[in-house]
Amino acid sequence: MNKLRIPTIILVCTLLAISSNSNATPTPYNTTIKGKLDKVVDGDTIRIEGHKESFRMYGIDAAEKKQPCLKMKGEEQKDVMYGEVATDFLKSEILNDYLDTVIICEFHNKERYGRPLATCFAKNDIYSDINLNKLMVFRGRAFADRKYANDAEYIKLEDIAKKNQWGMWGNGIKCESPAEFRKSSKVK
C-alpha cells in the first residue's frame, strides 16, 4: 500500500505544479485577450499577466534601450537614450497612471523573432480603447515600422508628430531609425 502512495503523491504534486502555471499559455493568433499589464519590456513590447510571452506592438519600432539619439542645444550636444524615454512613456504616462487599466490586445501573427504581433489598447474609467501602438507613434515616442508593417495610418501619424515636433522629433533631437541602428551596431 505504501508503495502506491508515494508515486501517487508525486503524481499529484507534479499535476498541481503544472496546473499552477497553466495561466501562462502561449497566445493563439487571430485572437483578442484582456489583462493587466505585467511588464513594459521596452517601447514597443509588453507582457500581460498570465501570458508567458512578450507581445510586440504592431506597426511601430521604438528606439532600442541603449540607442543614443543626439540632442542639440545651441552648440552643445549630448546623447539621449530615447529607447528608455519611450519605455518610460509607455510605463508611466499611459499604462500605470490608473490601477484599473486593462490592456486589450488583438493578435495578428508572429514577427521575425517569433513574438506575437499585436495591436494593443488601454481601457479604464478615464479613457476607453486607446490604441497604444498609434499613440506611441503620434506622440513621437516610436517610428512607424516601414520595414515590416508599412501601414499608411502609422506613417501618417509619424508625419504629424514630425510636423508638430513632438517627442523625438522636437527639442533638437536627431535619432536614426531603430532598424538602421540595429543594422549598424548588429543589435537584434
Side-chain angles (χ1 to χ4, degrees), residues 61-73:
D61 197 7
E64 299 295 329
K65 280 189 177 179
K66 301 298 179 190
Q67 177 180 343
C69 297
L70 188 62
K71 182 171 184 170
M72 301 294 294
K73 189 172 184 180

Side-chain angles (χ1 to χ4, degrees), residues 4 8 17 23-24 40 44 46-47 67 71 90 97 103-104 112 114 121 147 157 177 183 187:
L4 285 176
T8 303
N23 287 341
V40 174
D44 55 24
I46 63 172
R47 191 172 302 130
Q67 177 180 343
K71 182 171 184 170
L90 194 54
D97 276 351
I103 307 302
I104 303 160
R112 64 186 173 148
F121 302 86
K147 187 170 184 180
L157 292 171
S177 77
K183 186 178 176 181
V187 173

Side-chain angles (χ1 to χ4, degrees), residues 44 56 60-64 67 69 112-113 142-149 158 168 175-188:
D44 55 24
R56 176 75 159 73
I60 73 173
D61 197 7
E64 299 295 329
Q67 177 180 343
C69 297
R112 64 186 173 148
Y113 297 114
F143 288 79
D145 183 358
R146 286 174 166 78
K147 187 170 184 180
Y148 296 104
E158 182 181 296
M168 71 182 133
C175 198
E176 73 180 317
S177 77
E180 288 298 316
F181 175 75
R182 286 189 294 271
K183 186 178 176 181
S184 66
S185 65
K186 307 289 189 238
V187 173
K188 291 187 179 180

Side-chain angles (χ1 to χ4, degrees), residues 106-125:
E106 298 171 353
F107 296 94
H108 304 282
N109 53 23
K110 288 183 182 179
E111 49 99 75
R112 64 186 173 148
Y113 297 114
R115 294 177 296 186
L117 267 176
T119 301
C120 297
F121 302 86
K123 183 175 187 169
N124 64 32
D125 291 339

